[in-house]
Amino acid sequence: DQQVKQNSPSLSVQEGRISILNCDYTNSMFDYFLWYKKYPAEGPTFLISISSIKDKNEDGRFTVFLNKSAKHLSLHIVPSQPGDSAVYFCAASVAQGGSEKLVFGKGTKLTVNP
Amino acid sequence: DTGVSQDPRHKITKRGQNVTFRCDPISEHNRLYWYRQTLGQGPEFLTYFQNEAQLEKSRLLSDRFSAERPKGSFSTLEIQRTEQGDSAMYLCASSLGVTAAVSYNEQFFGPGTRLTVL
């Protein structure tokens, strides 16, 4: 049973436009959510995170939105750049009193076209 | 470079052989994690250490797998009697873990070890 789902395997956008990557989760115990970016033959790189007590976190061109009632989060990249082309993984964790192990989605491959 | 390092980056072995991977975490990080990633999937949790203590193991970690973190610094992951199904990217990550001041510390990943079992 997949607890973190990324239903879009791929997304293609034009340079300068907004990229929106979506993620759904099923486990109500998750209290911390993260986005990682991965290039081929490299490990995942931490991008941005959000605690379950917040509904928005922004860092430069990257914003993560969390809708707890819908168990849904999204990553917005504005403006998108060709260097953003990578696989993006949504991950969730139980931060309090546990291992903080990450549960990942399957990833969304983002292609930003010049 | 003060990031997480893993060695080797690539390993090709024959079925039935034993292999060992090494991970060196960021020096001040007390938590160390191992994940496995197969094609088309996200990373899956295998095990984690708080300092030298191995505190949780996934059911994915069969008895052919063993991990250690002596002295709470680097860690090794050994796979005995490798099978073709063990072919994957093995990722190591480290973090500071929960502290009194910070409720969550992000995990930082190494470049991974790609294992191919022939």
Side-chain angles (χ1 to χ4, degrees), chain A residues 41-44, chain B residues 4-10 89-92 109-114:
Chain A
E42 294 183 11
Chain B
V4 178
S5 62
Q6 292 186 246
D7 184 69
R9 294 291 306 274
H10 304 272
M89 173 77 84
Y90 289 84
L91 293 161
C92 175
F109 283 81
T113 294
R114 168 124 356 243

Side-chain angles (χ1 to χ4, degrees), chain B residues 77-118:
Chain B
L77 177 68
E78 181 183 15
I79 309 174
Q80 295 183 328
R81 306 181 302 282
T82 52
E83 302 174 355
Q84 289 185 324
D86 297 330
S87 296
M89 173 77 84
Y90 289 84
L91 293 161
C92 175
S94 70
S95 77
L96 281 169
V98 174
T99 64
V102 179
S103 62
Y104 191 89
N105 284 286
E106 289 77 15
Q107 294 178 29
F108 295 88
F109 283 81
T113 294
R114 168 124 356 243
L115 172 66
T116 302
V117 182
L118 302 176

Side-chain angles (χ1 to χ4, degrees), chain A residues 2 31-32 34 36 38 41-46 49 51 89 93-107, chain B residues 9-10 31 33 35 37 40-45 48 56 89 91 95 97-98 103-112 114:
Chain A
Q2 252 204 312
D31 53 7
Y32 211 85
L34 306 91
Y36 283 83
K38 188 177 185 302
E42 294 183 11
T45 301
F46 169 71
S49 61
S51 164
F89 289 98
S93 176
V94 178
Q96 292 301 322
S99 65
E100 299 174 19
K101 65 186 177 188
L102 295 173
V103 179
F104 284 86
K106 291 187 177 184
Chain B
R9 294 291 306 274
H10 304 272
R31 290 198 172 193
Y33 301 80
Y35 293 85
Q37 184 178 18
Q41 303 294 318
E44 295 174 289
F45 170 78
Y48 101 102
E56 185 173 342
M89 173 77 84
L91 293 161
S95 77
V98 174
S103 62
Y104 191 89
N105 284 286
E106 289 77 15
Q107 294 178 29
F108 295 88
F109 283 81
R114 168 124 356 243

Side-chain angles (χ1 to χ4, degrees), chain A:
Chain A
D1 177 35
Q2 252 204 312
Q3 299 183 67
V4 177
K5 298 178 184 179
Q6 293 178 257
N7 292 320
S8 298
S10 63
L11 174 67
S12 182
V13 299
Q14 285 299 119
E15 181 178 5
R17 298 287 187 98
I18 184 171
S19 295
I20 300 176
L21 296 96
N22 294 303
C23 177
D24 297 294
Y25 63 95
T26 58
N27 188 344
S28 300
M29 297 298 292
F30 289 143
D31 53 7
Y32 211 85
F33 304 89
L34 306 91
W35 285 93
Y36 283 83
K37 173 179 173 180
K38 188 177 185 302
Y39 294 115
E42 294 183 11
T45 301
F46 169 71
L47 201 55
I48 192 169
S49 61
I50 187 167
S51 164
S52 61
I53 62 174
K54 297 186 176 182
D55 55 18
K56 177 183 174 180
N57 188 27
E58 191 172 352
D59 183 1
R61 297 186 297 113
F62 303 91
T63 303
V64 56
F65 295 92
L66 176 62
N67 182 334
K68 280 187 67 177
S69 60
K71 294 191 176 69
H72 177 83
L73 64 155
S74 61
L75 174 68
H76 292 210
I77 306 173
V78 183
S80 301
Q81 300 173 355
D84 296 328
S85 297
V87 178
Y88 288 77
F89 289 98
C90 171
S93 176
V94 178
Q96 292 301 322
S99 65
E100 299 174 19
K101 65 186 177 188
L102 295 173
V103 179
F104 284 86
K106 291 187 177 184
T108 297
K109 183 177 181 180
L110 173 66
T111 303
V112 180
N113 301 302

